[in-house]
Amino acid sequence: MNRGWRRYGHALWPSLTLVLLFLFIWEATVRLLDVEPWLLPSPSKIGDTFFTSLTLLHDHMWVTLQEALLGFALGIIVALLLATLIELSPWIRRALYPLLIGTQTVPIIAIAPLFIVWFGFGMFPKLLIVAMVTFFPVVISTADGLRSSDPDMIRLLQSAGANQWQLFRYIRFPHALPSFFSGCKIAATYSILGAVIGEWLGASKGLGVFLIRAQHSFAADKVFVAILVITFWSILLFLLIQVIQRWLTPWTYIKTDDERIEET
C-alpha cells in the first residue's frame, strides 16, 4: 500500500469506526425491540432496499445530478461575474453587497414555487433554484479573496505600469482562487439539496420525487436510501472540488507533520 492510501486510511478510520459502531447499535436495537420497518427499518433492510431499487434509483439519480451540476455551474458563473463587479467598482460593491445578503434571508422553499409558476415544471426552474442556493457562498468568498490581495504586489505592478486588467489577471484572481474553491466546496454540498427541493415542488423524475413517493407509501427504508444517495453525491462533489483545487492551486497545499515524516 502506498503512502497516500495509508495516509487517507489513517485519517478516515476513526470516523469509519464510529459509523460502524452506530450501525451495529441501530441494527441491534431494531432487532431486539422488534421495531416495525415502516417506523424505523434496520440498516440491513435499508441495504437490501438499496440493491433492489438500483434500477429505479439510477433513473431518478441521473435527473437530479443533471439539475445539480448544471445549476451549480450557472451559480458559479453568476457568482464570478458579481464578485468581479464588486471588486472593480466600490459603488457596485456598496450597492450589491447588502442585496446579496438580503437574498439569503428569503427562504428558498418560499420563492421556489414562483419559479414553477413562471417557468413550468421543466428543468429550467430547478436550475434556477440550485443556482440561487449555490451562488451566495461562492460570490462572498470570491469577493473577499479578491479584496484581500497582497497590497505590496499590487503596488509593485502598478509601479511597473500594469493596468486594472493586468492587476486582476496576475494578482487578484490567483490570490482569490483558494477563497473561490472554499466557497465552491460549501456550494457543492448544497447543489444536490437544491435540486431535490425543486423536485419536491413539481417534477416527474428525480430523487425528490423518489422521496415523496416513499413518504406517501410509508416506505421508511426507501426514504433512508434516498438520504444515503443524496449524502453520497454531496460528499463526492465536495471531494471533486477539493481535488480540482489541489490541482489548480498547488501552492496552497501545506504538508502536515505526518506527511513530512513519511517522506523522510
Side-chain angles (χ1 to χ4, degrees):
M1 186 183 292
N2 60 39
R3 285 178 298 192
W5 285 110
R6 279 206 309 271
R7 188 166 62 246
Y8 287 123
H10 182 73
L12 289 176
W13 78 263
S15 299
L16 288 175
T17 303
L18 278 179
V19 170
L20 291 175
L21 181 63
F22 174 74
L23 292 177
F24 174 77
I25 294 173
W26 180 356
E27 180 81 27
T29 303
V30 170
R31 287 176 182 270
L32 289 173
L33 300 180
D34 197 20
V35 181
E36 293 291 338
W38 63 267
L39 185 61
L40 180 64
S42 65
S44 58
K45 169 69 175 170
I46 295 170
D48 289 341
T49 304
F50 173 77
F51 288 109
T52 55
S53 307
L54 269 180
T55 305
L56 184 63
L57 269 175
H58 177 269
D59 294 339
H60 288 292
M61 197 166 56
W62 175 238
V63 172
T64 301
L65 272 180
Q66 286 183 75
E67 293 164 355
L69 292 176
L70 292 174
F72 185 32
L74 178 62
I76 288 178
I77 292 170
V78 173
L80 283 176
L81 288 174
L82 289 176
T84 304
L85 288 174
I86 286 172
E87 175 57 25
L88 292 180
S89 169
W91 186 90
I92 293 178
R93 180 181 183 83
R94 289 196 298 273
L96 276 183
Y97 214 89
L99 297 179
L100 289 175
I101 295 172
T103 61
Q104 299 308 298
T105 63
V106 180
I108 192 69
I109 198 71
I111 199 170
L114 291 175
F115 292 150
I116 303 295
V117 172
W118 292 337
F119 304 109
F121 293 95
M123 182 178 285
F124 186 63
K126 281 84 171 178
L127 302 188
L128 291 180
I129 293 169
V130 175
M132 276 205 69
V133 171
T134 57
F135 93 99
F136 183 74
V138 181
V139 69
I140 294 298
S141 56
T142 306
D144 288 344
L146 290 170
R147 194 172 180 78
S148 60
S149 302
D150 187 349
D152 292 333
M153 292 294 295
I154 291 175
R155 281 194 289 269
L156 178 65
L157 260 70
Q158 283 176 330
S159 66
N163 56 33
Q164 285 296 324
W165 165 245
Q166 289 168 326
L167 290 176
F168 181 84
R169 179 181 176 184
Y170 295 113
I171 300 294
R172 297 189 193 280
F173 188 68
H175 186 85
L177 277 176
S179 301
F180 164 73
F181 281 113
S182 295
C184 283
K185 282 189 279 190
I186 296 171
T189 60
Y190 294 164
S191 60
I192 300 290
L193 184 63
V196 170
I197 290 174
E199 291 162 358
W200 275 345
L201 299 173
S204 58
K205 275 190 176 181
L207 290 173
V209 176
F210 183 86
L211 264 172
I212 290 173
R213 290 175 181 170
Q215 178 191 355
H216 289 172
S217 57
F218 292 94
D221 51 343
K222 289 187 176 179
V223 173
F224 277 104
V225 166
I227 293 170
L228 284 175
V229 172
I230 291 169
T231 305
F232 169 78
W233 282 109
S234 298
I235 294 174
L236 196 65
L237 285 177
F238 178 92
L239 294 176
L240 179 63
I241 298 292
Q242 190 154 345
V243 170
I244 295 173
Q245 178 185 9
R246 185 164 176 178
W247 177 47
L248 291 180
T249 61
W251 65 89
T252 62
Y253 178 69
I254 300 173
K255 291 181 178 179
T256 64
D257 292 338
D258 291 342
E259 290 168 341
R260 293 193 189 96
I261 291 171
E262 285 182 358
E263 290 182 353
T264 58

